[in-house]
Amino acid sequence: MWKDFPLLPDSASTMANQIDMVWWFLVALTVVMTALIAAAVVGMTIYFRKKNDGRYATQIVGSTQLEILWSGIPFLIVMGLFGWGTAVFVNTQRTPDNVDIDMYIVGKQWMWKVQHPTGQREINAMHVPVGKVVRITQTSEDVIHSFFVPAFRMKRDAVPGRYSQQWFEATKVGTYHIFCAEYCGSKHAQMIGWVTVMEPEEYERWLASTTPGEVPEEAGRKLFESMRCASCHITAQGVSQIDGAAPRGPSMVDIYGREVALKDNRKVVVDDEYIRESILHPMAKVTAGFEPNMPTYEGQLGEDQILQLIAYIKSLKSTGTKQ
Ligand code: CUA
């Protein structure tokens, strides 16, 4: 019976236990305090009831010691809980440095589109190996969705027009539900899927047996060419503009992750968000030293294509090593 009515979802990620411990502590604290207070109310009602001994109510001044005690103890418990909760929050929200797999997810009415770094694409399904850190960069093509995997204790909104990230490290082989946790229209309840956690060798076999589409950076390279980005932006060191003129836009080599100066003296770090903005709204943050003459590509590129372009730009390193 308890299998069909579980108290908690499966715990299948490194986050699950940390979060559950805080939750169970809160539940235990609540139950104990409720029981103590209820017992005191009932007990005192009986003990201090009016007796026929001729006594009347008297004024009690109170006890400072008692007041300090019953304010101090809860204060310490609550501050301890605050510290503990904050530590778990920071732990679970901050992506570890050793990311093994970079997954891209685009939410859309009413499905989850998953793109593997190795080119595989899935809809409403995601295959991952156990024991690897998976970072998800997600966005939406239409309205706000929320990518929710209860067994991993992870949930974050996928918001149109911006990227959000979350991560997990699965600890248990199995299949776990994906939900959309933000009401997004009439078929919101059907925007569900499954994460399949596999042993690493089995995952390798799955990758090999699934026809990969293009890897994101390769698809991005083709887009870069077909949209004629290269007529203004250099993509390899030592390669000059086709017509030999000075480049009309900043070079894309080594640009990802760097801080660049803008025309209006601001500075910005080149990340996914900034690249996306510059493709769709090129006038928003123009690089210093260049004329604001880039056309907008709004309406010409889907969110998954923009992610491919970003993957390509990320891969442009002067050392030749791809990230
Ligand atoms: Cu997508 Cu609810």
Side-chain angles (χ1 to χ4, degrees), residues 108-110 112 143-146 180-185 188-189 191:
K108 151 178 199 201
Q109 281 168 326
W110 285 276
W112 294 109
V143 299
I144 301 177
H145 304 278
S146 182
C180 175
E182 190 72 65
Y183 183 68
C184 55
H188 157 71
M191 196 165 161

Side-chain angles (χ1 to χ4, degrees), residues 99 101-105 114-118 120 122 126-129 134-138 165-166 168 203 307:
V99 173
I101 298 174
D102 251 312
M103 210 73 95
Y104 294 101
I105 294 182
V114 177
Q115 161 92 67
H116 289 252
T118 38
Q120 284 77 2
E122 301 184 77
M126 184 163 81
H127 288 73
V128 291
V134 179
R135 173 169 57 197
I136 291 172
T137 302
Q138 54 183 40
Q165 286 189 333
Q166 48 181 348
F168 65 88
Y203 174 70
L307 282 168

Side-chain angles (χ1 to χ4, degrees), residues 175-205:
T175 51
Y176 309 102
H177 247 307
I178 301 169
F179 293 104
C180 175
E182 190 72 65
Y183 183 68
C184 55
S186 57
K187 290 194 185 131
H188 157 71
Q190 287 164 39
M191 196 165 161
I192 52 179
W194 295 94
V195 184
T196 307
V197 178
M198 309 161 113
E199 291 295 347
E201 314 82 62
E202 208 195 332
Y203 174 70
E204 289 306 321
R205 273 200 296 278

Side-chain angles (χ1 to χ4, degrees), residues 227-229 231 278-282 294-302 306:
M227 304 305 284
R228 304 196 39 77
C229 311
S231 58
S278 297
I279 294 169
L280 301 179
H281 311 287
M294 175 170 160
T296 171
Y297 290 86
E298 201 169 14
Q300 299 179 53
L301 294 164
I306 296 174

Side-chain angles (χ1 to χ4, degrees), residues 149-165:
V149 183
F152 296 165
R153 310 289 188 273
M154 63 185 280
K155 176 167 76 174
R156 181 149 296 172
D157 282 5
V159 182
R162 68 181 225 210
Y163 296 120
S164 51
Q165 286 189 333

